[in-house]
Short mmCIF file of all heavy atoms in Angstrom, two decimals:
data_model
loop_
_atom_site.label_atom_id
_atom_site.label_comp_id
_atom_site.label_asym_id
_atom_site.label_seq_id
_atom_site.Cartn_x
_atom_site.Cartn_y
_atom_site.Cartn_z
N HIS A 24 -1.80 0.73 -22.38
CA HIS A 24 -1.39 -0.02 -23.41
C HIS A 24 -1.72 0.72 -24.64
O HIS A 24 -2.59 1.71 -24.73
CB HIS A 24 -2.24 -1.23 -23.61
CG HIS A 24 -2.15 -2.31 -22.59
ND1 HIS A 24 -0.95 -2.95 -22.36
CD2 HIS A 24 -2.93 -2.57 -21.55
CE1 HIS A 24 -1.11 -3.83 -21.30
NE2 HIS A 24 -2.34 -3.61 -20.76
N PRO A 32 -6.41 1.97 -20.98
CA PRO A 32 -6.06 1.64 -19.57
C PRO A 32 -5.84 0.22 -19.47
O PRO A 32 -6.50 -0.59 -20.12
CB PRO A 32 -7.09 2.16 -18.65
CG PRO A 32 -8.20 2.50 -19.56
CD PRO A 32 -7.74 2.62 -21.04
N CYS A 33 -4.88 -0.15 -18.61
CA CYS A 33 -4.68 -1.53 -18.22
C CYS A 33 -5.78 -2.08 -17.39
O CYS A 33 -6.50 -1.28 -16.72
CB CYS A 33 -3.35 -1.73 -17.52
SG CYS A 33 -1.83 -1.26 -18.23
N VAL A 34 -6.16 -3.32 -17.47
CA VAL A 34 -7.15 -3.95 -16.57
C VAL A 34 -6.62 -5.15 -15.81
O VAL A 34 -6.04 -6.04 -16.50
CB VAL A 34 -8.35 -4.46 -17.52
CG1 VAL A 34 -9.37 -5.16 -16.65
CG2 VAL A 34 -8.89 -3.46 -18.35
N PRO A 35 -6.47 -5.08 -14.57
CA PRO A 35 -6.91 -3.88 -13.65
C PRO A 35 -6.04 -2.74 -13.97
O PRO A 35 -4.96 -2.80 -14.52
CB PRO A 35 -6.81 -4.44 -12.30
CG PRO A 35 -5.83 -5.47 -12.32
CD PRO A 35 -5.84 -6.09 -13.65
N ARG A 36 -6.59 -1.54 -13.55
CA ARG A 36 -5.78 -0.29 -13.72
C ARG A 36 -4.53 -0.36 -13.00
O ARG A 36 -4.34 -0.73 -11.77
CB ARG A 36 -6.60 0.93 -13.22
CG ARG A 36 -7.80 1.21 -14.06
CD ARG A 36 -8.65 2.19 -13.65
NE ARG A 36 -7.98 3.60 -13.61
CZ ARG A 36 -8.44 4.65 -12.90
NH1 ARG A 36 -9.59 4.56 -12.30
NH2 ARG A 36 -7.82 5.83 -13.10
N GLU A 37 -3.37 0.07 -13.69
CA GLU A 37 -2.02 -0.05 -13.14
C GLU A 37 -1.44 1.36 -12.95
O GLU A 37 -1.62 2.18 -13.88
CB GLU A 37 -1.10 -0.97 -13.98
CG GLU A 37 0.26 -1.03 -13.38
CD GLU A 37 1.10 -2.01 -14.24
OE1 GLU A 37 0.62 -2.78 -14.97
OE2 GLU A 37 2.32 -1.93 -14.00
#
Side-chain angles (χ1 to χ4, degrees):
H24 297 291
C33 299
V34 177
R36 293 174 65 193
E37 185 179 337

